[in-house]
PDB file of all heavy atoms in Angstrom:
ATOM      1  N   LYS A 540     -18.584  -6.827  18.180  1.00 98.00           N
ATOM      2  CA  LYS A 540     -17.679  -6.352  19.223  1.00 98.00           C
ATOM      3  C   LYS A 540     -16.336  -5.896  18.657  1.00 98.00           C
ATOM      4  O   LYS A 540     -15.697  -5.027  19.227  1.00 98.00           O
ATOM      5  CB  LYS A 540     -17.474  -7.441  20.269  1.00 98.00           C
ATOM      6  CG  LYS A 540     -16.804  -8.670  19.701  1.00 98.00           C
ATOM      7  CD  LYS A 540     -16.928  -9.871  20.601  1.00 98.00           C
ATOM      8  CE  LYS A 540     -16.205  -9.630  21.920  1.00 98.00           C
ATOM      9  NZ  LYS A 540     -16.260 -10.840  22.762  1.00 98.00           N
ATOM     10  N   ASN A 643      -7.679 -14.167  25.871  1.00 70.00           N
ATOM     11  CA  ASN A 643      -8.324 -14.469  24.600  1.00 70.00           C
ATOM     12  C   ASN A 643      -8.743 -15.928  24.481  1.00 70.00           C
ATOM     13  O   ASN A 643      -8.950 -16.434  23.393  1.00 70.00           O
ATOM     14  CB  ASN A 643      -7.397 -14.096  23.433  1.00 70.00           C
ATOM     15  CG  ASN A 643      -7.578 -12.632  23.051  1.00 70.00           C
ATOM     16  OD1 ASN A 643      -8.629 -12.055  23.295  1.00 70.00           O
ATOM     17  ND2 ASN A 643      -6.560 -12.050  22.465  1.00 70.00           N
ATOM     18  N   HIS A 679     -17.360 -21.314  21.065  1.00 95.00           N
ATOM     19  CA  HIS A 679     -16.349 -20.346  20.599  1.00 95.00           C
ATOM     20  C   HIS A 679     -15.113 -20.577  21.451  1.00 95.00           C
ATOM     21  O   HIS A 679     -15.171 -20.507  22.666  1.00 95.00           O
ATOM     22  CB  HIS A 679     -16.883 -18.920  20.771  1.00 95.00           C
ATOM     23  CG  HIS A 679     -15.834 -17.859  20.594  1.00 95.00           C
ATOM     24  ND1 HIS A 679     -15.407 -17.446  19.348  1.00 95.00           N
ATOM     25  CD2 HIS A 679     -15.131 -17.138  21.496  1.00 95.00           C
ATOM     26  CE1 HIS A 679     -14.481 -16.508  19.505  1.00 95.00           C
ATOM     27  NE2 HIS A 679     -14.295 -16.295  20.783  1.00 95.00           N
ATOM     28  N   SER A 682      -9.798 -16.278  20.679  1.00 92.00           N
ATOM     29  CA  SER A 682      -9.482 -15.352  19.600  1.00 92.00           C
ATOM     30  C   SER A 682      -7.988 -15.415  19.284  1.00 92.00           C
ATOM     31  O   SER A 682      -7.214 -15.861  20.132  1.00 92.00           O
ATOM     32  CB  SER A 682      -9.876 -13.949  20.068  1.00 92.00           C
ATOM     33  OG  SER A 682     -10.157 -13.126  18.986  1.00 92.00           O
ATOM     34  N   GLY A 734     -12.760 -16.307  15.924  1.00 96.00           N
ATOM     35  CA  GLY A 734     -11.454 -16.599  16.500  1.00 96.00           C
ATOM     36  C   GLY A 734     -10.294 -16.690  15.547  1.00 96.00           C
ATOM     37  O   GLY A 734      -9.141 -16.778  15.999  1.00 96.00           O
ATOM     38  N   GLU A 773     -18.675 -16.903  13.464  1.00 98.00           N
ATOM     39  CA  GLU A 773     -18.798 -15.580  14.087  1.00 98.00           C
ATOM     40  C   GLU A 773     -17.498 -14.789  13.989  1.00 98.00           C
ATOM     41  O   GLU A 773     -16.938 -14.372  15.004  1.00 98.00           O
ATOM     42  CB  GLU A 773     -19.163 -15.738  15.567  1.00 98.00           C
ATOM     43  CG  GLU A 773     -20.415 -16.533  15.826  1.00 98.00           C
ATOM     44  CD  GLU A 773     -20.775 -16.589  17.312  1.00 98.00           C
ATOM     45  OE1 GLU A 773     -19.867 -16.458  18.159  1.00 98.00           O
ATOM     46  OE2 GLU A 773     -21.967 -16.748  17.612  1.00 98.00           O
ATOM     47  N   GLY A 775     -14.819 -11.852  13.708  1.00 98.00           N
ATOM     48  CA  GLY A 775     -14.748 -10.415  13.971  1.00 98.00           C
ATOM     49  C   GLY A 775     -13.428  -9.863  13.432  1.00 98.00           C
ATOM     50  O   GLY A 775     -13.353  -9.203  12.406  1.00 98.00           O
ATOM     51  N   ARG A 776     -12.337 -10.248  14.129  1.00 98.00           N
ATOM     52  CA  ARG A 776     -11.010  -9.744  13.774  1.00 98.00           C
ATOM     53  C   ARG A 776     -10.659  -9.964  12.304  1.00 98.00           C
ATOM     54  O   ARG A 776     -10.133  -9.065  11.645  1.00 98.00           O
ATOM     55  CB  ARG A 776      -9.967 -10.450  14.652  1.00 98.00           C
ATOM     56  CG  ARG A 776      -8.572  -9.878  14.564  1.00 98.00           C
ATOM     57  CD  ARG A 776      -7.569 -10.774  15.332  1.00 98.00           C
ATOM     58  NE  ARG A 776      -8.090 -11.200  16.605  1.00 98.00           N
ATOM     59  CZ  ARG A 776      -7.908 -10.550  17.751  1.00 98.00           C
ATOM     60  NH1 ARG A 776      -7.187  -9.457  17.785  1.00 98.00           N
ATOM     61  NH2 ARG A 776      -8.443 -11.013  18.864  1.00 98.00           N
ATOM     62  N   ARG A 812      -4.485  -2.648  22.777  1.00 98.00           N
ATOM     63  CA  ARG A 812      -4.040  -4.042  22.645  1.00 98.00           C
ATOM     64  C   ARG A 812      -2.578  -4.276  23.067  1.00 98.00           C
ATOM     65  O   ARG A 812      -2.295  -5.251  23.753  1.00 98.00           O
ATOM     66  CB  ARG A 812      -4.266  -4.568  21.221  1.00 98.00           C
ATOM     67  CG  ARG A 812      -5.748  -4.490  20.775  1.00 98.00           C
ATOM     68  CD  ARG A 812      -6.026  -5.279  19.512  1.00 98.00           C
ATOM     69  NE  ARG A 812      -5.936  -6.703  19.755  1.00 98.00           N
ATOM     70  CZ  ARG A 812      -4.933  -7.450  19.411  1.00 98.00           C
ATOM     71  NH1 ARG A 812      -3.932  -6.940  18.739  1.00 98.00           N
ATOM     72  NH2 ARG A 812      -4.914  -8.723  19.728  1.00 98.00           N
ATOM     73  N   TYR A 816      -2.582  -6.771  26.190  1.00 96.00           N
ATOM     74  CA  TYR A 816      -2.229  -8.172  25.900  1.00 96.00           C
ATOM     75  C   TYR A 816      -0.769  -8.338  25.486  1.00 96.00           C
ATOM     76  O   TYR A 816      -0.374  -9.408  25.047  1.00 96.00           O
ATOM     77  CB  TYR A 816      -3.067  -8.739  24.744  1.00 96.00           C
ATOM     78  CG  TYR A 816      -4.526  -8.416  24.777  1.00 96.00           C
ATOM     79  CD1 TYR A 816      -5.072  -7.521  23.866  1.00 96.00           C
ATOM     80  CD2 TYR A 816      -5.376  -9.031  25.692  1.00 96.00           C
ATOM     81  CE1 TYR A 816      -6.426  -7.233  23.872  1.00 96.00           C
ATOM     82  CE2 TYR A 816      -6.728  -8.741  25.701  1.00 96.00           C
ATOM     83  CZ  TYR A 816      -7.249  -7.849  24.796  1.00 96.00           C
ATOM     84  OH  TYR A 816      -8.584  -7.566  24.800  1.00 96.00           O
ATOM     85  N   TYR A 873     -10.978  -4.391  17.532  1.00 98.00           N
ATOM     86  CA  TYR A 873     -10.665  -4.161  18.936  1.00 98.00           C
ATOM     87  C   TYR A 873      -9.708  -2.968  19.093  1.00 98.00           C
ATOM     88  O   TYR A 873      -8.847  -2.964  19.954  1.00 98.00           O
ATOM     89  CB  TYR A 873     -10.089  -5.435  19.585  1.00 98.00           C
ATOM     90  CG  TYR A 873     -10.942  -6.654  19.338  1.00 98.00           C
ATOM     91  CD1 TYR A 873     -10.553  -7.649  18.440  1.00 98.00           C
ATOM     92  CD2 TYR A 873     -12.180  -6.764  19.955  1.00 98.00           C
ATOM     93  CE1 TYR A 873     -11.364  -8.750  18.190  1.00 98.00           C
ATOM     94  CE2 TYR A 873     -12.995  -7.862  19.705  1.00 98.00           C
ATOM     95  CZ  TYR A 873     -12.589  -8.849  18.822  1.00 98.00           C
ATOM     96  OH  TYR A 873     -13.389  -9.924  18.566  1.00 98.00           O
TER      97      TYR A 873
HETATM   98  N1  LLP B 957     -17.909 -14.987  19.088  1.00 59.90           N
HETATM   99  C1  LLP B 957     -17.749 -14.889  20.427  1.00 59.90           C
HETATM  100  C2  LLP B 957     -18.670 -15.591  21.304  1.00 59.90           C
HETATM  101  C3  LLP B 957     -16.678 -14.124  20.931  1.00 59.90           C
HETATM  102  O1  LLP B 957     -16.507 -14.044  22.244  1.00 59.90           O
HETATM  103  C4  LLP B 957     -15.787 -13.472  20.041  1.00 59.90           C
HETATM  104  C5  LLP B 957     -14.670 -12.677  20.545  1.00 59.90           C
HETATM  105  C6  LLP B 957     -16.022 -13.590  18.663  1.00 59.90           C
HETATM  106  C7  LLP B 957     -17.084 -14.367  18.224  1.00 59.90           C
HETATM  107  C8  LLP B 957     -15.147 -12.932  17.636  1.00 59.90           C
HETATM  108  O2  LLP B 957     -13.845 -13.420  17.693  1.00 59.90           O
HETATM  109  P1  LLP B 957     -12.754 -12.947  16.618  1.00 59.90           P
HETATM  110  O3  LLP B 957     -13.123 -13.548  15.302  1.00 59.90           O
HETATM  111  O4  LLP B 957     -12.759 -11.479  16.568  1.00 59.90           O
HETATM  112  O5  LLP B 957     -11.475 -13.481  17.143  1.00 59.90           O
HETATM  113  N2  LLP B 957     -10.066  -7.714  22.727  1.00 59.90           N
HETATM  114  C9  LLP B 957      -9.387  -8.914  22.295  1.00 59.90           C
HETATM  115  C10 LLP B 957     -10.302  -9.869  21.600  1.00 59.90           C
HETATM  116  C11 LLP B 957     -11.445 -10.346  22.430  1.00 59.90           C
HETATM  117  C12 LLP B 957     -12.290 -11.301  21.633  1.00 59.90           C
HETATM  118  C13 LLP B 957     -13.323 -11.932  22.449  1.00 59.90           C
HETATM  119  N3  LLP B 957     -14.323 -12.681  21.768  1.00 59.90           N
HETATM  120  C14 LLP B 957      -8.237  -8.508  21.395  1.00 59.90           C
HETATM  121  O6  LLP B 957      -8.090  -7.332  21.093  1.00 59.90           O
HETATM  122  O7  LLP B 957      -7.442  -9.353  21.002  1.00 59.90           O
END
Side-chain angles (χ1 to χ4, degrees):
K540 63 195 296 183
N643 273 335
H679 168 79
S682 206
E773 304 183 334
R776 190 188 316 268
R812 302 193 70 257
Y816 316 109
Y873 309 106

